[in-house]
Amino acid sequence: MVFLFFRKFNPSQIKIRCGEHNLADEEEERISYQERALKSISIHPLYIDGENDPKLYNDVAIVHTEEAFDLTTGNVNTICLPDSVNQDNFSENDCHTMGWGTFNDTEPVTNIQNYMKQVILNRVDNEECGTILKEREETTNNFVLHSSFICAGRGGLDKDGNPNDVCKGDGGGPLVCQQQGDPEKYVTL
């Protein structure tokens, strides 16, 4: 829903913040966040916009800022894009996602957490993911998962023995996986 979000605003109304960890108290941050003005947005050229029925295919954008971020602070850095979008290029067992979402389904998304959380998840094959989604009550029988989607889930267990998963409101957030054959390189998907 990247484009659906961004098209609601004029670029001059949007600020990009990097390095934020604690949303509750700016005084408690070990290293200050950085904020930059938005210059422009590049939407994926194959994004399919369904005004009344958004398909969200290729739902990704690159934001360009007026000023570069300082990468020497220790809490802001870059991540590589993959060499190829072939799913065989990414680890199945070493993917990370993060966000400030809520812990349970009954909380409104507006009750986000103060601290960013991270969870390690396994990447799920697109075909298997489509099958899993079809089994859900809210999914119709003719549902077909588009090939531009990458799924992750079935992580390990948390300290209480519950399966790891993203928090409510974090779905569609950044997914970072180890690139196959290079244990030192992680890419964003």
Side-chain angles (χ1 to χ4, degrees):
M1 301 201 9
V2 169
F3 182 65
L4 293 176
F5 170 79
F6 280 118
R7 76 173 167 194
K8 293 179 184 178
F9 300 95
N10 181 316
S12 65
Q13 296 175 290
I14 300 172
K15 298 280 187 198
I16 305 299
R17 182 177 285 186
C18 289
E20 181 78 87
H21 175 73
N22 178 358
L23 298 176
D25 185 4
E26 291 182 23
E27 302 296 320
E28 197 175 311
E29 290 283 356
R30 292 181 304 141
I31 304 171
S32 296
Y33 62 80
Q34 299 175 49
E35 203 167 73
R36 301 290 186 264
L38 180 68
K39 181 178 181 180
S40 64
I41 304 164
S42 297
I43 304 297
H44 192 290
L46 298 177
Y47 173 76
I48 297 175
D49 180 20
E51 181 78 32
N52 297 318
D53 180 23
K55 301 294 184 205
L56 307 180
Y57 303 159
N58 301 298
D59 182 30
V60 64
I62 297 174
V63 294
H64 308 272
T65 57
E66 292 285 349
E67 177 187 353
F69 285 92
D70 180 359
L71 302 180
T72 64
T73 62
N75 65 335
V76 175
N77 208 332
T78 60
I79 183 94
C80 295
L81 293 172
D83 297 333
S84 152
V85 293
N86 181 335
Q87 288 193 30
D88 293 337
N89 287 336
F90 321 120
S91 170
E92 292 181 7
N93 307 325
D94 195 5
C95 294
H96 304 249
T97 190
M98 59 283 314
W100 288 274
T102 63
F103 285 125
N104 67 56
D105 290 335
T106 60
E107 290 181 272
V109 176
T110 53
N111 289 356
I112 60 175
Q113 301 299 307
N114 290 331
Y115 293 95
M116 181 187 287
K117 306 286 191 273
Q118 172 185 288
V119 65
I120 299 173
L121 299 170
N122 296 332
R123 187 176 49 78
V124 179
D125 171 80
N126 190 280
E127 187 176 322
E128 181 182 351
C129 182
T131 301
I132 292 168
L133 290 172
K134 276 185 182 178
E135 293 171 359
R136 296 176 60 148
E137 241 177 68
E138 64 269 18
T139 309
T140 62
N141 289 335
N142 62 350
F143 173 80
V144 176
L145 183 65
H146 192 266
S147 61
S148 68
F149 283 79
I150 296 174
C151 298
R154 295 191 337 237
L157 301 177
D158 66 16
K159 61 182 173 44
D160 299 321
N162 300 312
N164 283 334
D165 200 355
V166 296
C167 292
K168 181 180 177 186
D170 289 340
L175 183 64
V176 176
C177 296
Q178 180 184 25
Q179 185 160 318
Q180 291 287 36
D182 189 348
E184 301 298 316
K185 184 175 183 181
Y186 283 79
V187 295
T188 189
L189 308 177

